[in-house]
Amino acid sequence: MRFGAYQFKPTLVPTLAMIVMIALTLFLANWQLNRADQKSALQARYDLMQRDPAVTLPVRGGDGTNLLYQKVALHGHFDFSRQIYIDNKLYQGRAGYYVIAPFRDDFSGSYVLVNRGWLGAGNRAIPPHAEQAPGEVRIEGIVTNPISRFLELSTATVQGQVWENLHFKHYTATLPYAVQPILIQQINDTRDGLVRVWDRPDAGAAMNMGYAVQWFAIATAILIIYLVLNVKRISA
């Protein structure tokens, strides 16, 4: 193909490589855009659900998707004997734990897991200990999905009460009672000294958008390089 004094004459292998690389970068760019859209949609649902007053848990919550981000009120007691600590959770740059404990809700008669809040890490040689709220207590919290928020990254995740990550099925299998498939992020103060500042559902959406722009830029650069390398001046 000629353009005046220049000729575009690509070869097969570089052309195939260009097509594969551009297809890959466009796929990754669109994946990042979809992740940003998903997070924005979750934030919109969260904002909508927070306008409603706290409700009681149903006796049977199904798979929990219908309750996602619903504000709920619980009344009952914690099972502190089975409380665990999820390690390596940061708050304002400081390492600590999320404190997870089963809670029996008197309203629904069922057990749920409650993320009580963040506890700062002290001397690692001393096991963590969160203050307990003995007896009956009222809890307000936000329903979240424990399976999507916590991923088990290795097989060696448990050291006594300290877990690397919360593997929902693994943990609930150790309990002598059934647990609804949800995780409650506690938001009210029960005078236990724990920090309850939770990430927004759309946290990281701007970063996803930034990555998408980078992948689109890489795709454009690949195309430009391919054209430059395959357009040659015709010798007189």
Side-chain angles (χ1 to χ4, degrees):
M1 186 180 299
R2 296 184 61 175
F3 302 93
Y6 294 90
Q7 182 180 32
F8 178 61
K9 192 176 181 180
T11 56
L12 179 61
V13 173
T15 299
L16 292 177
M18 179 273 296
I19 293 173
V20 170
M21 292 300 297
I22 288 183
L24 177 61
T25 52
L26 291 179
F27 169 80
L28 293 172
N30 281 287
W31 184 84
Q32 292 289 352
L33 289 177
N34 288 334
R35 286 292 295 147
D37 289 343
Q38 290 170 11
K39 291 178 180 180
S40 296
L42 288 176
Q43 184 62 47
R45 176 181 172 85
Y46 180 91
D47 294 338
L48 179 63
M49 300 296 278
Q50 298 317 296
R51 298 170 190 164
D52 297 331
V55 301
T56 57
L57 281 178
V59 176
R60 295 182 179 179
D63 61 1
T65 55
N66 60 316
L67 296 173
L68 186 63
Y69 300 134
Q70 176 68 60
K71 188 188 302 181
V72 294
L74 313 175
H75 185 275
H77 62 274
F78 284 104
D79 182 359
F80 289 116
S81 66
R82 293 177 171 85
Q83 179 168 273
I84 61 173
Y85 300 85
I86 309 303
D87 204 353
N88 299 316
K89 299 303 175 184
L90 297 178
Y91 174 68
Q92 295 183 346
R94 183 184 170 194
Y97 310 88
Y98 280 160
V99 184
I100 310 292
F103 186 92
R104 188 187 187 281
D105 176 42
D106 293 340
F107 295 135
S108 63
S110 59
Y111 281 89
V112 293
L113 296 186
V114 175
N115 187 340
R116 299 179 56 207
W118 180 87
L119 173 70
N123 186 344
R124 290 286 184 172
I126 302 175
H129 175 74
E131 293 294 327
Q132 300 178 358
E136 293 191 349
V137 63
R138 183 180 185 276
I139 295 295
E140 283 194 8
I142 307 298
V143 176
T144 62
N145 184 343
I147 298 175
S148 65
R149 292 188 63 83
F150 297 95
L151 300 177
E152 186 173 77
L153 303 178
S154 70
T155 56
T157 57
V158 184
Q159 294 181 353
Q161 285 187 298
V162 178
W163 291 45
E164 180 182 330
N165 292 277
L166 173 59
H167 190 295
F168 183 79
K169 291 183 179 179
H170 186 181
Y171 176 59
T172 55
T174 68
L175 303 177
Y177 38 74
V179 177
Q180 288 205 33
I182 56 177
L183 177 69
I184 309 295
Q185 290 181 336
Q186 184 179 339
I187 58 176
N188 66 314
D189 183 16
T190 46
R191 298 182 180 180
D192 48 26
L194 298 178
V195 177
R196 299 181 178 94
V197 177
W198 307 112
D199 291 337
R200 290 166 51 91
D202 64 349
M207 184 179 297
N208 291 120
M209 291 293 292
Y211 287 147
V213 171
Q214 291 179 14
W215 285 119
F216 282 126
I218 291 172
T220 302
I222 291 173
L223 179 59
I224 292 173
I225 293 172
Y226 169 78
L227 294 175
V228 169
L229 293 178
N230 287 280
V231 173
K232 303 185 183 300
R233 187 179 181 87
I234 301 173
S235 301

